[in-house]
């Protein structure tokens, strides 16, 4: 009898498992997947390490320690997006502009209209974040044709701390010179965009002419600043998001580097 009970029990279990296999997509209770604490900690440590490395990379970008680079590190795409769209970028832009204001207010202008402040345009006065947001915040290789099309739309918004500085400099009596790597054929769109964004009454807008094509940004901008000095202009301040906006020859009395972890121009 015990033997028969054993046989029946085995049969029942077999039928039960056969039925379970047939309906394997149905579970008798909710499926809860939990990482072991060790795995969770390892993932947190990995995230922390990536952020640490991206922090270090961005610091070295701003310190001008890195060799020319074409895209941001692959693992830093989300990091750069979070930085640029968050409060940190805004605070750093505000601090740079505030320091520039303090310096400008300390300068005793000669009063002959020859004291000049030079501004770059892209990522200095105008923000191209709407464009770069659609192109991986610097994680994609730069496409000149696509960016040119964006420039011609003339819809880039003002960088508000820079606009505030710009107006303050005008009120103080500085002559404003806009020196950009944009090409001469983009003049009309650039003027329209600047006006739409709130910038006005600059003394001159210098863009790359045909003979300037192929020159490095340092070479090109140094030449243009040298031409200003030959005219007798005094370059008191210079604001730009690239080191190539600020370095070279005929540099300003003080230069102000604005943050930009998205791209590098030599």
């Amino acid at each position: 009898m015990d033997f028969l009970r054993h046989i029946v029990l085995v049969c029942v279990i077999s039928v039960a498992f056969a039925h379970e296999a047939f309906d394997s997509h149905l579970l008798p209770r909710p499926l809860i997947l939990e990482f072991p604490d060790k795995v969770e900690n390892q993932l947190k440590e990995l995230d922390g390490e990536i952020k640490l490395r991206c922090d270090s990379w961005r610091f070295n970008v701003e310190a001008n320690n890195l060799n020319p680079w074409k895209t941001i590190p692959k693992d830093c795409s989300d990091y750069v997006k979070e930085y640029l769209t968050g409060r940190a970028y805004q605070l750093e832009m505000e601090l740079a502009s505030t320091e520039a204001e303090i310096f400008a207010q300390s300068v005793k202008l000669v009063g002959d209209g020859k004291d000049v402040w030079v501004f770059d345009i892209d990522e200095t006065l105008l923000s191209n974040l709407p464009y770069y947001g659609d192109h991986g915040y610097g994680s994609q290789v730069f496409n000149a044709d696509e960016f040119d099309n964006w420039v011609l739309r003339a819809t880039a918004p003002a960088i508000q701390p820079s606009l505030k500085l710009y107006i303050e400099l005008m009120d103080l009596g500085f002559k404003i010179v806009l020196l950009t790597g944009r090409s001469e054929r983009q003049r009309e769109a650039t003027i329209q965009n600047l006006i739409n964004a709130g910038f006005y009454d600059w003394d001159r807008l210098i863009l790359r002419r045909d003979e300037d094509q192929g020159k490095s940004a340092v070479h090109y901008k140094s030449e243009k600043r040298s031409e200003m000095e030959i005219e007798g202009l005094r370059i008191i301040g210079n604001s730009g998001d690239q080191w190539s906006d600020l370095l070279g020859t005929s540099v300003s009395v003080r230069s102000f580097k604005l943050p930009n972890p998205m791209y590098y121009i030599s």
Side-chain angles (χ1 to χ4, degrees), residues 115-128:
D115 292 312
V116 168
W117 198 287
V118 177
F119 281 100
D120 173 54
I121 292 180
D122 295 297
E123 272 58 68
T124 299
L125 296 182
L126 298 177
S127 171
N128 296 303

Side-chain angles (χ1 to χ4, degrees), residues 48 54 94 97 102 125-126 143 161 164 171 198 210 225 251 253:
C54 292
E94 289 173 359
S97 294
I102 292 171
L125 296 182
L126 298 177
N143 185 308
K164 181 176 179 294
D171 291 343
D210 289 342
R225 292 195 301 266
V251 297
V253 175

Side-chain angles (χ1 to χ4, degrees), residues 206-224:
I206 303 172
L207 303 100
R208 280 186 188 259
R209 298 170 296 188
D210 289 342
E211 58 266 33
D212 298 318
Q213 302 301 323
K215 295 177 182 176
S216 71
V218 172
H219 181 188
Y220 158 67
K221 294 200 170 185
S222 292
E223 276 189 348
K224 299 308 175 186

Side-chain angles (χ1 to χ4, degrees), residues 215-241:
K215 295 177 182 176
S216 71
V218 172
H219 181 188
Y220 158 67
K221 294 200 170 185
S222 292
E223 276 189 348
K224 299 308 175 186
R225 292 195 301 266
S226 177
E227 291 171 7
M228 292 181 219
E229 288 185 333
I230 291 172
E231 289 182 43
L233 300 179
R234 293 178 293 274
I235 304 174
I236 306 300
N238 188 3
S239 298
D241 67 291

